[in-house]
Amino acid sequence: MIKGILDDLKLRYRTGNIATKLIYYNVVCFFSFLIIGFLLQQFMPTTSMDRWFALSYDYQQVFTKPWTIFSYAFMHGDLLHLLFNMLLLYYAGVMFLRYFRDQDFVTFFVIGILSGAIFFVVFSSSFDRSANFLVGSSAAIFAVFFALVSYNPRIPVRLLFFPKSFPLYYVALFLVGLDVFQLFAGKNPGGSLSHLGAALAGYLYMKQFEKGNDFVGKAIRAIENFFRRDKKSTFKTSKSKPFSRTHVPKDDYEYNSMKVEKQKKIDSILDKISRSGYESLSKEEKDFLFREGRS
């Protein structure tokens, strides 16, 4: 029975998208930190995992432990914190990957980690010094989510117990409002600052991304290729197909630009159908939908 469960988990990991893989990484890191932290407490009671892997608001500690700029995003305070963030990561992945590739998800996830860290270190001491460390992947998830809001704020969203769908930007406004309230109410101000910083970074970077300016993604892939040394990339789950059968994009910039333009055309046609019905489409629009449905 246990072997069957493990085999199923391995299969889900191998066939899953990047959001699924990141959930696995976070769960493994959480329990690894938990076990190692317990053992440390038995032999070195004064030592904690936070000191080594959580992000400190003290920039001097950040300089001495630069890896914490990334490692904090794979630590969580407790099981409930982990569960909530992984649910957010799952749903953000489901929505984002309808329109973009795995490697684009990684780009915005990394942007969220970095921008959340920067806002926490630079501004948290102005609000509250009681929270010495920042942990959790919520900033990275916020960057992914608000990038999608920037791309198309009117994506319909349906939530449990809500009879009707509503635009995605309603959720964004609620999340921003909640974090602003918590910031000034003194409830986890460091976390709220990281959320707001990551949301702003994800939103603004998408504006450049739509123009084909993916300089962060290009840097990430260059670093990945340097360390990979011709080995298969962890972040690649499948080969990307070009948008046209007769034209192959010259580079990632052209790929992103073409994909965004095509998705905008699809969204426009779907909006037209929702307003006036399928019969209101022109022959060209119907042919376009037919081709895209077969690709």
Side-chain angles (χ1 to χ4, degrees):
M1 181 179 178
I2 295 178
K3 185 178 183 301
I5 294 174
L6 291 176
D7 289 341
D8 183 58
L9 290 173
K10 290 177 183 177
L11 178 62
R12 290 178 183 273
Y13 174 82
R14 288 196 300 267
T15 60
N17 57 37
I18 186 59
T20 300
K21 289 179 169 60
L22 284 167
I23 290 172
Y24 273 76
Y25 300 154
N26 273 278
V27 171
V28 169
C29 286
F30 175 78
F31 286 104
S32 298
F33 286 137
L34 195 67
I35 294 169
I36 296 171
F38 174 78
L39 294 175
L40 283 175
Q41 287 296 310
Q42 307 308 309
F43 300 101
M44 293 182 288
T46 59
T47 303
S48 69
M49 297 299 291
D50 286 347
R51 287 183 56 191
W52 291 101
F53 296 102
L55 181 68
S56 172
Y57 73 88
D58 185 352
Y59 67 91
Q60 293 181 339
Q61 291 193 41
V62 176
F63 285 137
T64 58
K65 301 165 189 167
W67 60 85
T68 58
I69 295 174
F70 287 94
S71 61
Y72 85 90
F74 296 90
M75 292 191 73
H76 289 85
D78 52 42
L79 191 59
L80 188 61
H81 186 203
L82 173 72
L83 178 62
F84 181 72
N85 275 350
M86 293 306 98
L87 285 172
L88 288 179
L89 177 55
Y90 173 78
Y91 286 112
V94 168
M95 291 188 293
F96 187 90
L97 294 172
R98 289 176 186 170
Y99 305 94
F100 302 100
R101 301 170 295 175
D102 278 14
Q103 65 186 50
D104 301 328
F105 189 98
V106 173
T107 297
F108 284 96
F109 196 83
V110 170
I111 287 172
I113 291 175
L114 294 175
S115 55
I118 291 170
F119 269 69
F120 174 74
V121 173
V122 173
F123 298 111
S124 64
S125 60
S126 302
F127 289 85
D128 184 15
R129 284 178 176 260
S130 61
N132 295 326
F133 297 103
L134 177 68
V135 296
S137 56
S138 50
I141 300 167
F142 264 57
V144 173
F145 177 78
F146 278 85
L148 192 59
V149 173
S150 176
Y151 170 68
N152 185 356
R154 297 190 176 276
I155 294 174
V157 176
R158 185 180 294 275
L159 297 178
L160 192 63
F161 305 123
F162 282 79
K164 293 184 178 180
S165 62
F166 48 86
L168 185 65
Y169 74 89
Y170 283 17
V171 182
L173 291 174
F174 171 77
L175 292 175
V176 170
L178 181 62
D179 273 315
V180 170
F181 169 77
Q182 291 181 329
L183 179 63
F184 290 100
K187 299 179 179 180
N188 188 27
S192 295
L193 281 168
S194 70
H195 294 168
L196 293 171
L200 180 63
Y203 188 94
L204 294 178
Y205 190 80
M206 176 55 78
K207 299 302 182 185
Q208 291 300 312
F209 187 86
E210 288 185 86
K211 298 175 183 178
N213 301 325
D214 186 18
F215 48 90
V216 174
K218 189 175 181 180
I220 291 171
R221 287 185 287 278
I223 295 170
E224 183 190 2
N225 289 334
F226 176 78
F227 287 103
R228 183 178 57 183
R229 297 190 183 281
D230 298 328
K231 291 182 181 179
K232 187 177 181 180
S233 170
T234 302
F235 297 127
K236 278 193 174 182
T237 57
S238 62
K239 292 184 178 179
S240 299
K241 294 182 179 179
F243 294 129
S244 171
R245 290 186 176 90
T246 59
H247 176 70
V248 178
K250 292 183 293 186
D251 52 30
D252 286 340
Y253 296 153
E254 186 176 355
Y255 181 96
N256 291 334
S257 179
M258 291 171 63
K259 187 166 186 176
V260 167
E261 289 302 317
K262 185 173 74 170
Q263 189 58 51
K264 283 183 178 179
K265 185 173 181 180
I266 293 174
D267 291 340
S268 175
I269 293 174
L270 293 178
D271 286 340
K272 186 175 180 180
I273 293 175
S274 66
R275 291 194 307 269
S276 308
Y278 181 78
E279 294 305 320
S280 65
L281 299 182
S282 65
K283 184 178 184 303
E284 180 186 356
E285 290 170 331
K286 290 178 181 179
D287 290 343
F288 177 78
L289 277 184
F290 178 74
R291 288 195 305 270
E292 292 308 310
R294 296 185 61 183
S295 61

